[in-house]
Amino acid sequence: MYKSLLAGLVLACFTTIAHADTDTFFDRDKAFSQLKDAVAYFDEIGTLPRDKWFARDQASATSDMNRLIDEAMETLDVPTLVDMRRQYRALEDHIADERTRIAELKEKRLTAPDTEVSTLTRYTPTDMLKTFTASTRGDYELLIKARQDNISAWQQDMDTIEQQMAEALNSIGVTLSAAEVDTWLSSAVGDDVLSMSAVFASIKAVTGQLARLTEDSGEDLSYARRYYGMVMILHKLVVRMQQQFIDHVDQDILPVLTEFDRQAQANIAQARTLIQQGGNRSSLSGNIEANQLTRQAIALYTRLVSQQRDRVRQSLARSQQEAQVAVNTYRTVNLSSQVSGLIREGQKTFLALSNLQIPATTTFKNQQIKEEFRKLTERLRAAGP
């Protein structure tokens, strides 16, 4: 029942985005309101003292502007894709919980009488109640099998979400295969990467709408200046989004991966020393192989996030320059006839920036590496701030 309900929700999400045109896959009114208010704070900054005790200053207005930029960033993230990612994370949590329960059941099975399923457990109606009646090895094997079946069903649901998400991303101009979506969703930065891709698609739609609004207003100067101010804030949003991603990779992800690799190398070195000292060669050789597999997964993880960081960094350099140009242009816009053309040029700029930071195309070579990748992600999240 859970599986069929989830599949329906995923299909509904995808149907919504697949039938939406590029102007309606995000909350336009909310985004416009946030961008307009952010422009007002930007205008206020120039009227305030740089630093003042117990009074509003430039830092206060800048903080308010950045808060609205962060809120606009969330609004521009395509809601249906956000829902898909949320469903995917919920399934990951269900699977993790189920694996924990299976480990506990296997422990109980070790000391249980070696007999078949008891009559009481066989006819107890739910798995939850069966956990209270289980007493024999057969009982525990029955429960373990049921939970393994749950994991298989949830993994199929995850595969469905990956495919639907790839199709939904493609519908807004972001080309990723289901396998590539799988790789990103398995990483600690996957939500950020997919979110940035969706936000860029929304920004391109917003700038197109602003250009049309400017034209429809008859190039009225007050409206034109307001609309270009919103484009200027979008430039600031892109810079902030990209810088946050780069900082997350450099400060939170790569140092931890480096430490994980150091630990794996130390484990390998110790195992080799113990073999030379007469330790159990079979067990220690297995430990060495396990740590070598972990190091392979760490190398893949490091390469993946580093490639994406470098793509974003390359895009950031241009984004920062374009943001400065946008601020200068906003401050000097006087002829309303210039503005719709400037906004359309901005749309082209956002398209070029988006192309510069397209997600890296890397997929898992085998199931072992994928499983190690998943374990590393769990360790990274546990070690995160």
Side-chain angles (χ1 to χ4, degrees), residues 266-287:
N267 290 341
I268 290 171
Q270 184 182 41
R272 286 173 174 163
T273 299
L274 290 171
I275 288 174
Q276 292 175 350
Q277 294 173 351
N280 187 301
R281 178 175 292 274
S282 177
S283 295
L284 292 167
S285 295
N287 293 345

PDB file of all heavy atoms in Angstrom, residues 266-287:
ATOM      1  N   ALA A 266      45.643   4.161   7.394  1.00  0.00           N
ATOM      2  CA  ALA A 266      46.195   3.704   8.671  1.00  0.00           C
ATOM      3  C   ALA A 266      45.720   2.280   8.979  1.00  0.00           C
ATOM      4  O   ALA A 266      46.501   1.443   9.469  1.00  0.00           O
ATOM      5  CB  ALA A 266      45.773   4.659   9.790  1.00  0.00           C
ATOM      6  N   ASN A 267      44.467   1.981   8.677  1.00  0.00           N
ATOM      7  CA  ASN A 267      43.938   0.628   8.895  1.00  0.00           C
ATOM      8  C   ASN A 267      44.681  -0.392   8.041  1.00  0.00           C
ATOM      9  O   ASN A 267      45.000  -1.502   8.497  1.00  0.00           O
ATOM     10  CB  ASN A 267      42.447   0.593   8.555  1.00  0.00           C
ATOM     11  CG  ASN A 267      41.603   1.357   9.557  1.00  0.00           C
ATOM     12  OD1 ASN A 267      42.029   1.615  10.668  1.00  0.00           O
ATOM     13  ND2 ASN A 267      40.399   1.721   9.147  1.00  0.00           N
ATOM     14  N   ILE A 268      44.955  -0.030   6.796  1.00  0.00           N
ATOM     15  CA  ILE A 268      45.674  -0.935   5.886  1.00  0.00           C
ATOM     16  C   ILE A 268      47.088  -1.180   6.392  1.00  0.00           C
ATOM     17  O   ILE A 268      47.569  -2.334   6.434  1.00  0.00           O
ATOM     18  CB  ILE A 268      45.704  -0.337   4.456  1.00  0.00           C
ATOM     19  CG1 ILE A 268      44.296  -0.369   3.846  1.00  0.00           C
ATOM     20  CG2 ILE A 268      46.679  -1.115   3.569  1.00  0.00           C
ATOM     21  CD1 ILE A 268      44.181   0.397   2.545  1.00  0.00           C
ATOM     22  N   ALA A 269      47.758  -0.107   6.803  1.00  0.00           N
ATOM     23  CA  ALA A 269      49.130  -0.236   7.292  1.00  0.00           C
ATOM     24  C   ALA A 269      49.183  -1.113   8.544  1.00  0.00           C
ATOM     25  O   ALA A 269      50.064  -1.977   8.679  1.00  0.00           O
ATOM     26  CB  ALA A 269      49.705   1.153   7.586  1.00  0.00           C
ATOM     27  N   GLN A 270      48.217  -0.904   9.449  1.00  0.00           N
ATOM     28  CA  GLN A 270      48.187  -1.701  10.675  1.00  0.00           C
ATOM     29  C   GLN A 270      47.903  -3.172  10.366  1.00  0.00           C
ATOM     30  O   GLN A 270      48.526  -4.084  10.952  1.00  0.00           O
ATOM     31  CB  GLN A 270      47.134  -1.160  11.626  1.00  0.00           C
ATOM     32  CG  GLN A 270      47.103  -1.892  12.971  1.00  0.00           C
ATOM     33  CD  GLN A 270      46.018  -1.381  13.884  1.00  0.00           C
ATOM     34  OE1 GLN A 270      44.906  -1.101  13.430  1.00  0.00           O
ATOM     35  NE2 GLN A 270      46.318  -1.250  15.169  1.00  0.00           N
ATOM     36  N   ALA A 271      46.989  -3.431   9.436  1.00  0.00           N
ATOM     37  CA  ALA A 271      46.660  -4.810   9.072  1.00  0.00           C
ATOM     38  C   ALA A 271      47.875  -5.520   8.485  1.00  0.00           C
ATOM     39  O   ALA A 271      48.147  -6.699   8.796  1.00  0.00           O
ATOM     40  CB  ALA A 271      45.494  -4.827   8.081  1.00  0.00           C
ATOM     41  N   ARG A 272      48.628  -4.832   7.655  1.00  0.00           N
ATOM     42  CA  ARG A 272      49.825  -5.423   7.063  1.00  0.00           C
ATOM     43  C   ARG A 272      50.872  -5.718   8.125  1.00  0.00           C
ATOM     44  O   ARG A 272      51.560  -6.750   8.079  1.00  0.00           O
ATOM     45  CB  ARG A 272      50.386  -4.496   5.988  1.00  0.00           C
ATOM     46  CG  ARG A 272      49.550  -4.503   4.706  1.00  0.00           C
ATOM     47  CD  ARG A 272      50.003  -3.460   3.709  1.00  0.00           C
ATOM     48  NE  ARG A 272      49.272  -3.602   2.450  1.00  0.00           N
ATOM     49  CZ  ARG A 272      49.208  -2.661   1.517  1.00  0.00           C
ATOM     50  NH1 ARG A 272      49.831  -1.491   1.697  1.00  0.00           N
ATOM     51  NH2 ARG A 272      48.526  -2.878   0.401  1.00  0.00           N
ATOM     52  N   THR A 273      50.994  -4.821   9.089  1.00  0.00           N
ATOM     53  CA  THR A 273      51.935  -5.051  10.187  1.00  0.00           C
ATOM     54  C   THR A 273      51.524  -6.272  11.001  1.00  0.00           C
ATOM     55  O   THR A 273      52.362  -7.114  11.371  1.00  0.00           O
ATOM     56  CB  THR A 273      52.005  -3.810  11.101  1.00  0.00           C
ATOM     57  OG1 THR A 273      52.468  -2.693  10.344  1.00  0.00           O
ATOM     58  CG2 THR A 273      52.942  -4.054  12.272  1.00  0.00           C
ATOM     59  N   LEU A 274      50.227  -6.393  11.275  1.00  0.00           N
ATOM     60  CA  LEU A 274      49.731  -7.522  12.063  1.00  0.00           C
ATOM     61  C   LEU A 274      49.925  -8.842  11.322  1.00  0.00           C
ATOM     62  O   LEU A 274      50.203  -9.877  11.950  1.00  0.00           O
ATOM     63  CB  LEU A 274      48.246  -7.309  12.399  1.00  0.00           C
ATOM     64  CG  LEU A 274      47.956  -6.192  13.408  1.00  0.00           C
ATOM     65  CD1 LEU A 274      46.460  -5.922  13.497  1.00  0.00           C
ATOM     66  CD2 LEU A 274      48.513  -6.567  14.791  1.00  0.00           C
ATOM     67  N   ILE A 275      49.804  -8.828   9.998  1.00  0.00           N
ATOM     68  CA  ILE A 275      50.067 -10.048   9.214  1.00  0.00           C
ATOM     69  C   ILE A 275      51.519 -10.466   9.370  1.00  0.00           C
ATOM     70  O   ILE A 275      51.829 -11.658   9.571  1.00  0.00           O
ATOM     71  CB  ILE A 275      49.718  -9.810   7.722  1.00  0.00           C
ATOM     72  CG1 ILE A 275      48.200  -9.731   7.537  1.00  0.00           C
ATOM     73  CG2 ILE A 275      50.294 -10.930   6.852  1.00  0.00           C
ATOM     74  CD1 ILE A 275      47.768  -9.365   6.124  1.00  0.00           C
ATOM     75  N   GLN A 276      52.422  -9.491   9.291  1.00  0.00           N
ATOM     76  CA  GLN A 276      53.857  -9.781   9.451  1.00  0.00           C
ATOM     77  C   GLN A 276      54.159 -10.318  10.839  1.00  0.00           C
ATOM     78  O   GLN A 276      55.099 -11.106  11.021  1.00  0.00           O
ATOM     79  CB  GLN A 276      54.671  -8.507   9.199  1.00  0.00           C
ATOM     80  CG  GLN A 276      54.625  -8.031   7.747  1.00  0.00           C
ATOM     81  CD  GLN A 276      55.339  -6.704   7.563  1.00  0.00           C
ATOM     82  OE1 GLN A 276      55.715  -6.043   8.542  1.00  0.00           O
ATOM     83  NE2 GLN A 276      55.524  -6.300   6.307  1.00  0.00           N
ATOM     84  N   GLN A 277      53.341  -9.933  11.822  1.00  0.00           N
ATOM     85  CA  GLN A 277      53.559 -10.392  13.197  1.00  0.00           C
ATOM     86  C   GLN A 277      52.851 -11.711  13.486  1.00  0.00           C
ATOM     87  O   GLN A 277      52.849 -12.182  14.622  1.00  0.00           O
ATOM     88  CB  GLN A 277      53.076  -9.317  14.173  1.00  0.00           C
ATOM     89  CG  GLN A 277      53.891  -8.023  14.112  1.00  0.00           C
ATOM     90  CD  GLN A 277      53.302  -6.915  14.970  1.00  0.00           C
ATOM     91  OE1 GLN A 277      52.181  -7.042  15.488  1.00  0.00           O
ATOM     92  NE2 GLN A 277      54.060  -5.842  15.153  1.00  0.00           N
ATOM     93  N   GLY A 278      52.229 -12.290  12.451  1.00  0.00           N
ATOM     94  CA  GLY A 278      51.596 -13.593  12.621  1.00  0.00           C
ATOM     95  C   GLY A 278      50.114 -13.566  12.857  1.00  0.00           C
ATOM     96  O   GLY A 278      49.514 -14.577  13.238  1.00  0.00           O
ATOM     97  N   GLY A 279      49.468 -12.407  12.652  1.00  0.00           N
ATOM     98  CA  GLY A 279      48.024 -12.298  12.831  1.00  0.00           C
ATOM     99  C   GLY A 279      47.275 -13.109  11.785  1.00  0.00           C
ATOM    100  O   GLY A 279      47.855 -13.551  10.786  1.00  0.00           O
ATOM    101  N   ASN A 280      45.991 -13.291  12.005  1.00  0.00           N
ATOM    102  CA  ASN A 280      45.147 -14.080  11.097  1.00  0.00           C
ATOM    103  C   ASN A 280      45.155 -13.464   9.702  1.00  0.00           C
ATOM    104  O   ASN A 280      44.547 -12.413   9.466  1.00  0.00           O
ATOM    105  CB  ASN A 280      43.715 -14.139  11.647  1.00  0.00           C
ATOM    106  CG  ASN A 280      42.840 -15.076  10.848  1.00  0.00           C
ATOM    107  OD1 ASN A 280      42.656 -14.900   9.658  1.00  0.00           O
ATOM    108  ND2 ASN A 280      42.292 -16.083  11.527  1.00  0.00           N
ATOM    109  N   ARG A 281      45.829 -14.123   8.779  1.00  0.00           N
ATOM    110  CA  ARG A 281      46.011 -13.557   7.442  1.00  0.00           C
ATOM    111  C   ARG A 281      44.680 -13.397   6.703  1.00  0.00           C
ATOM    112  O   ARG A 281      44.458 -12.390   6.020  1.00  0.00           O
ATOM    113  CB  ARG A 281      46.955 -14.446   6.625  1.00  0.00           C
ATOM    114  CG  ARG A 281      47.170 -13.974   5.184  1.00  0.00           C
ATOM    115  CD  ARG A 281      48.197 -14.810   4.470  1.00  0.00           C
ATOM    116  NE  ARG A 281      49.539 -14.606   5.035  1.00  0.00           N
ATOM    117  CZ  ARG A 281      50.358 -13.617   4.652  1.00  0.00           C
ATOM    118  NH1 ARG A 281      49.972 -12.762   3.711  1.00  0.00           N
ATOM    119  NH2 ARG A 281      51.545 -13.504   5.203  1.00  0.00           N
ATOM    120  N   SER A 282      43.798 -14.375   6.845  1.00  0.00           N
ATOM    121  CA  SER A 282      42.542 -14.319   6.117  1.00  0.00           C
ATOM    122  C   SER A 282      41.696 -13.117   6.542  1.00  0.00           C
ATOM    123  O   SER A 282      41.217 -12.349   5.708  1.00  0.00           O
ATOM    124  CB  SER A 282      41.756 -15.614   6.331  1.00  0.00           C
ATOM    125  OG  SER A 282      40.502 -15.548   5.681  1.00  0.00           O
ATOM    126  N   SER A 283      41.537 -12.951   7.856  1.00  0.00           N
ATOM    127  CA  SER A 283      40.731 -11.834   8.357  1.00  0.00           C
ATOM    128  C   SER A 283      41.366 -10.492   8.019  1.00  0.00           C
ATOM    129  O   SER A 283      40.687  -9.556   7.572  1.00  0.00           O
ATOM    130  CB  SER A 283      40.560 -11.948   9.876  1.00  0.00           C
ATOM    131  OG  SER A 283      39.824 -13.098  10.209  1.00  0.00           O
ATOM    132  N   LEU A 284      42.677 -10.411   8.214  1.00  0.00           N
ATOM    133  CA  LEU A 284      43.365  -9.144   7.977  1.00  0.00           C
ATOM    134  C   LEU A 284      43.405  -8.797   6.490  1.00  0.00           C
ATOM    135  O   LEU A 284      43.296  -7.624   6.116  1.00  0.00           O
ATOM    136  CB  LEU A 284      44.775  -9.197   8.556  1.00  0.00           C
ATOM    137  CG  LEU A 284      44.833  -9.258  10.090  1.00  0.00           C
ATOM    138  CD1 LEU A 284      46.232  -9.617  10.559  1.00  0.00           C
ATOM    139  CD2 LEU A 284      44.397  -7.916  10.686  1.00  0.00           C
ATOM    140  N   SER A 285      43.529  -9.801   5.639  1.00  0.00           N
ATOM    141  CA  SER A 285      43.490  -9.544   4.192  1.00  0.00           C
ATOM    142  C   SER A 285      42.117  -9.027   3.781  1.00  0.00           C
ATOM    143  O   SER A 285      41.998  -8.130   2.925  1.00  0.00           O
ATOM    144  CB  SER A 285      43.821 -10.818   3.417  1.00  0.00           C
ATOM    145  OG  SER A 285      45.149 -11.225   3.656  1.00  0.00           O
ATOM    146  N   GLY A 286      41.083  -9.573   4.392  1.00  0.00           N
ATOM    147  CA  GLY A 286      39.728  -9.074   4.138  1.00  0.00           C
ATOM    148  C   GLY A 286      39.579  -7.623   4.574  1.00  0.00           C
ATOM    149  O   GLY A 286      38.936  -6.817   3.894  1.00  0.00           O
ATOM    150  N   ASN A 287      40.203  -7.296   5.727  1.00  0.00           N
ATOM    151  CA  ASN A 287      40.153  -5.910   6.198  1.00  0.00           C
ATOM    152  C   ASN A 287      40.864  -4.973   5.224  1.00  0.00           C
ATOM    153  O   ASN A 287      40.405  -3.858   4.958  1.00  0.00           O
ATOM    154  CB  ASN A 287      40.809  -5.807   7.578  1.00  0.00           C
ATOM    155  CG  ASN A 287      40.015  -6.537   8.648  1.00  0.00           C
ATOM    156  OD1 ASN A 287      38.854  -6.886   8.437  1.00  0.00           O
ATOM    157  ND2 ASN A 287      40.643  -6.776   9.780  1.00  0.00           N
TER     158      ASN A 287
END
